[in-house]
Amino acid sequence: MDIAELSNKILSRDRRALARAITLVESQRADHRAQAEELLGTLARQRRQALRIGLSGTPGVGKSTFIESFGLMLTEQGLRVAVLAVDPSSARSGGSILGDKTRMERLSRDPDAFIRPSPSQTHLGGVARRTRDVVALCEAADFDVVLIETVGVGQSETVVAEISDLFLLLLAPAGGDELQGVKRGIMEIADVILVNKADGDLKPAAGRTCADYSGALRLLRKRPQDPPGYPKAMMVSALEEEGLSQAWTELQQLNIWRREHGHWNQRRAEQARYWFAQEVRQTLLAQLDSPQARARMADLGDSVAQGDQSINQAARQMLTTLDPT
Amino acid sequence: MDIAELSNKILSRDRRALARAITLVESQRADHRAQAEELLGTLARQRRQALRIGLSGTPGVGKSTFIESFGLMLTEQGLRVAVLAVDPSSARSGGSILGDKTRMERLSRDPDAFIRPSPSQTHLGGVARRTRDVVALCEAADFDVVLIETVGVGQSETVVAEISDLFLLLLAPAGGDELQGVKRGIMEIADVILVNKADGDLKPAAGRTCADYSGALRLLRKRPQDPPGYPKAMMVSALEEEGLSQAWTELQQLNIWRREHGHWNQRRAEQARYWFAQEVRQTLLAQLDSPQARARMADLGDSVAQGDQSINQAARQMLTTLDPT
């Protein structure tokens, strides 16, 4: 594969080249990994940046409808939008019932939108690495907004928040004043909460839910990266395409404020340092995943279990057989 | 240090040699680590084994009094007893208010007992490794029983359970039918629950608590390593030295049953494999802890944060500077 040519095509917004590059960075093959690193290194020098928006919401809140409506509104404004999914559970559950492109039919046909479904990987570390790389590819391909969607399984929100500039939490109207069992940790990473389905019979309930969350957000500790009034809760109807442009205005205002006050740069730098440290640790431990290393671990584990040598001696023997490069 | 001589002294039950060896395995110095590995390797060949009993209980349940009474009962029966403490919080809290030897004054003067306080280490991984090594030293020094005590901070019970043959949970009498907020995970690793302070005014409450826990234990999933009737809850009074020999009889019966049915061997082998794998992972990651590695990580982290190179490229560069041996 000609990496220089692939790189140039991506920079000139070639969608097929982008799709090929994503397949490359998702590959586990050593030669593909080397090519992917070369490609990402080349593209990084362009320093193109999109607005990265993380989005979480449990099944049933209308996430697909929201992404489709929100994405189409953005492309109508002349913006280019990429949608990525982070779903570490998809491998276990055999993938989404419907593929992401089927879920977002209109958006997937939009020439200014690019939708990439979640790959089949169970390992959250692998998902995180792949998502970081795909975001970098989308930024190089000159997308203005990258939406990173997660279903909120286990730690996936934290991973997405560590990749995003802004984090959106999508909720459905709830009965009474219950807070839908949203974990405190998720509340703390949300920048804007959108109560979806504020339409028809559900509109009053959406209003109450929105008020409940506005109250709950005011009780959270003030974060230095927030201007007055943030984080905030708002109502939207993805179905009736209501409130979407207001939500976008809020997100842009927040983004501009953070850029002007240095928080945006600081956060991207912190994220880069964090993922670099994670990558070093994971690559170190990945040496234990090769078939040879596994076989050697099993043999040495047996000899330790049989008392033939001490744990420390066996560990030292194991480490001498590894080559970190 | 003459490791062969130290080894021989430990094998002939020399307490001062044992204390020196523990100081050696607790040292972080590279030359000490090498000597400690040589010593542990030499001693492992003797394949001496003690009964390892893990013991957990929150402050106030009378753990020290129990260990003193229980330990003295064992030494009166001609058994040699070592007591180790696992307390990852001791470094943070500035150590126990009173040292372990002060807590157990009579036992500490007993020539057949050996008490070693928790070292000042915050890192649970470090505590686990040190405890495994000290248990191995105590077994080589021909102790019959090794009691491993933990205060139940965070994951310390799980660590102790992975080092022990049997796990004791010590509880105080509770009012009403409350289960004292004992986590399900702790219930699931307990082999015998001892309700302490079954004396004086507290005796009726101890009886109720014991009945409550007996009921709760019956609701747990049956484990293959348990004979009928286990895990079980019993009452003891460490203060009045009541119920201690019954508890010891129960522990011995359980131990004999597990040995006869192959569970004891199987569990020790599993533990050895588990700790071997942990040791390999920790040693791999420990390469990042040297001052040189930290400085290099910081420099490369900066270059990634400034966008001068990709995360993957920087990670690869970092790994080439490490030497796993």
Side-chain angles (χ1 to χ4, degrees):
Chain A
M1 197 177 298
D2 186 336
I3 295 302
E5 191 193 331
L6 187 59
S7 167
N8 284 332
K9 283 185 174 172
I10 290 169
L11 291 171
S12 60
R13 302 183 172 187
D14 183 324
R15 298 162 59 98
R16 288 184 61 188
L18 175 59
R20 274 180 61 209
I22 294 177
T23 305
L24 184 67
V25 303
E26 285 176 358
S27 170
Q28 309 281 345
R29 266 174 53 183
D31 57 332
H32 287 171
R33 290 291 330 146
Q35 290 180 320
E37 281 186 29
E38 189 190 336
L39 177 65
L40 290 164
T42 307
L43 295 173
R45 274 177 238 127
Q46 300 293 323
R47 297 175 193 242
R48 287 189 180 168
Q49 289 170 333
L51 175 59
R52 306 174 181 175
I53 304 176
L55 173 70
S56 177
T58 43
V61 302
K63 212 156 16 131
S64 305
T65 314
F66 172 80
I67 294 173
E68 173 144 286
S69 300
F70 192 71
L72 288 168
M73 179 199 68
L74 294 177
T75 57
E76 276 162 29
Q77 295 185 17
L79 297 168
R80 300 180 71 239
V81 181
V83 178
L84 312 176
V86 173
D87 181 4
S89 69
S90 67
R92 268 170 300 181
S93 62
S96 331
I97 297 168
L98 297 170
D100 289 315
K101 296 198 179 185
T102 319
R103 291 198 287 135
M104 295 173 249
E105 208 188 330
R106 284 162 61 211
L107 190 63
S108 69
R109 286 197 308 260
D110 190 322
D112 288 328
F114 180 86
I115 299 177
R116 185 77 180 191
S118 189
S120 296
Q121 288 203 348
T122 33
H123 178 40
L124 193 59
V127 169
R129 178 190 186 149
R130 169 261 177 197
T131 306
R132 276 188 283 120
D133 290 348
V134 177
V135 168
L137 292 174
C138 291
E139 291 189 315
D142 221 14
F143 283 94
D144 302 292
V145 177
V146 180
L147 274 174
I148 311 155
E149 174 201 4
T150 175
V151 288
V153 174
Q155 296 294 308
S156 63
E157 273 120 343
T158 314
V159 168
V160 170
E162 284 292 344
I163 296 171
S164 309
D165 302 313
L166 298 169
F167 199 85
L168 272 182
L169 178 61
L170 205 65
L171 296 173
D177 61 355
E178 49 172 320
L179 293 185
Q180 296 176 56
V182 174
K183 290 190 213 100
R184 190 185 171 86
I186 306 303
M187 291 283 285
E188 282 170 351
I189 59 177
D191 293 308
V192 174
I193 289 178
L194 295 179
V195 181
N196 192 22
K197 303 190 180 178
D199 45 49
D201 288 352
L202 286 172
K203 203 162 183 175
R208 284 193 303 270
T209 301
C210 189
D212 290 341
Y213 275 96
S214 295
L217 287 173
R218 276 194 294 272
L219 296 177
L220 289 181
R221 193 156 44 102
K222 188 96 183 93
R223 302 178 304 185
Q225 70 271 28
D226 289 331
Y230 288 87
K232 66 170 59 179
M234 306 174 63
M235 279 188 281
V236 292
S237 165
L239 196 68
E240 300 187 347
E241 297 174 16
E242 289 275 349
L244 298 176
S245 65
Q246 290 93 319
W248 175 233
T249 302
E250 295 288 348
L251 291 174
Q252 281 177 295
Q253 280 176 0
L254 180 57
N255 189 44
I256 288 165
W257 190 89
R258 286 190 183 162
R259 278 186 173 269
E260 286 174 351
H261 289 76
H263 297 298
W264 191 91
N265 268 329
Q266 196 189 332
R267 182 155 169 73
R268 283 252 172 146
E270 278 166 12
Q271 289 176 336
R273 283 197 192 87
Y274 171 82
W275 287 116
F276 163 64
Q278 289 286 99
E279 182 68 23
V280 170
R281 281 192 211 98
Q282 277 172 26
T283 313
L284 266 177
L285 293 178
Q287 298 174 74
L288 303 175
D289 292 338
S290 74
Q292 301 91 316
R294 283 172 189 272
R296 182 108 179 103
M297 281 289 279
D299 286 347
L300 286 168
D302 286 346
S303 84
V304 169
Q306 286 154 20
D308 293 336
Q309 56 182 335
S310 76
I311 285 170
N312 300 341
Q313 284 174 320
R316 184 163 294 271
Q317 273 195 44
M318 183 67 212
L319 294 172
T320 57
T321 67
L322 297 174
D323 175 14
T325 50
Chain B
M1 198 178 296
D2 185 337
I3 295 301
E5 191 193 330
L6 187 60
S7 167
N8 284 333
K9 283 185 174 172
I10 290 168
L11 291 170
S12 59
R13 304 182 170 186
D14 183 323
R15 297 162 60 99
R16 288 185 60 188
L18 175 59
R20 273 180 63 207
I22 293 178
T23 305
L24 184 67
V25 302
E26 284 176 359
S27 170
Q28 309 282 344
R29 267 174 53 184
D31 57 332
H32 287 172
R33 289 295 325 148
Q35 289 180 320
E37 280 185 30
E38 189 191 335
L39 176 65
L40 290 163
T42 306
L43 295 173
R45 276 178 238 126
Q46 300 293 323
R47 296 174 194 243
R48 287 188 180 169
Q49 288 170 333
L51 175 59
R52 307 173 180 176
I53 305 176
L55 172 70
S56 177
T58 44
V61 302
K63 214 157 14 137
S64 306
T65 314
F66 172 80
I67 294 173
E68 173 144 286
S69 300
F70 192 71
L72 287 169
M73 180 200 67
L74 294 177
T75 59
E76 274 161 30
Q77 295 186 17
L79 297 169
R80 300 180 70 239
V81 182
V83 179
L84 313 176
V86 173
D87 181 4
S89 70
S90 69
R92 267 170 302 182
S93 61
S96 329
I97 298 169
L98 297 170
D100 288 316
K101 295 198 178 185
T102 318
R103 290 197 287 134
M104 296 173 251
E105 208 190 331
R106 283 163 62 210
L107 190 63
S108 69
R109 286 198 309 261
D110 190 321
D112 287 329
F114 180 86
I115 299 177
R116 185 78 182 191
S118 188
S120 296
Q121 288 203 348
T122 32
H123 178 41
L124 194 59
V127 169
R129 177 191 186 151
R130 170 261 177 194
T131 306
R132 278 189 284 118
D133 290 348
V134 177
V135 167
L137 291 175
C138 291
E139 291 188 315
D142 222 13
F143 283 93
D144 301 293
V145 177
V146 180
L147 274 174
I148 311 154
E149 174 202 4
T150 175
V151 289
V153 175
Q155 297 293 307
S156 64
E157 273 119 343
T158 316
V159 168
V160 170
E162 283 292 344
I163 296 172
S164 309
D165 302 312
L166 298 169
F167 199 84
L168 272 182
L169 177 60
L170 206 64
L171 296 173
D177 61 355
E178 48 172 321
L179 292 186
Q180 298 176 57
V182 174
K183 291 188 212 101
R184 190 185 171 89
I186 306 301
M187 291 282 286
E188 282 170 351
I189 60 177
D191 294 306
V192 174
I193 289 178
L194 296 179
V195 181
N196 192 21
K197 302 189 181 179
D199 43 50
D201 288 352
L202 287 172
K203 203 161 184 176
R208 284 194 302 271
T209 302
C210 189
D212 289 342
Y213 276 96
S214 295
L217 287 173
R218 275 193 295 272
L219 296 177
L220 289 180
R221 194 158 44 103
K222 187 97 185 91
R223 303 178 303 186
Q225 70 271 30
D226 290 331
Y230 288 86
K232 65 170 60 177
M234 304 173 65
M235 279 188 280
V236 292
S237 165
L239 195 68
E240 300 187 349
E241 297 174 15
E242 290 273 348
L244 298 176
S245 65
Q246 290 93 320
W248 175 233
T249 302
E250 295 289 348
L251 292 174
Q252 282 178 296
Q253 280 176 358
L254 180 57
N255 189 44
I256 288 165
W257 190 90
R258 285 190 184 162
R259 278 187 174 268
E260 285 172 352
H261 290 76
H263 297 298
W264 192 91
N265 267 330
Q266 195 189 331
R267 182 155 168 75
R268 282 253 172 145
E270 279 167 11
Q271 288 176 337
R273 283 196 193 87
Y274 170 82
W275 287 118
F276 163 64
Q278 289 287 101
E279 182 68 22
V280 169
R281 282 192 210 96
Q282 278 172 25
T283 312
L284 267 177
L285 293 177
Q287 297 173 76
L288 303 175
D289 292 338
S290 73
Q292 299 92 317
R294 283 171 188 274
R296 183 109 178 101
M297 282 288 280
D299 287 347
L300 286 167
D302 286 346
S303 85
V304 169
Q306 286 152 20
D308 293 336
Q309 56 182 336
S310 76
I311 285 170
N312 300 342
Q313 284 174 319
R316 184 163 294 272
Q317 273 194 42
M318 183 67 212
L319 294 172
T320 57
T321 67
L322 297 175
D323 176 13
T325 51

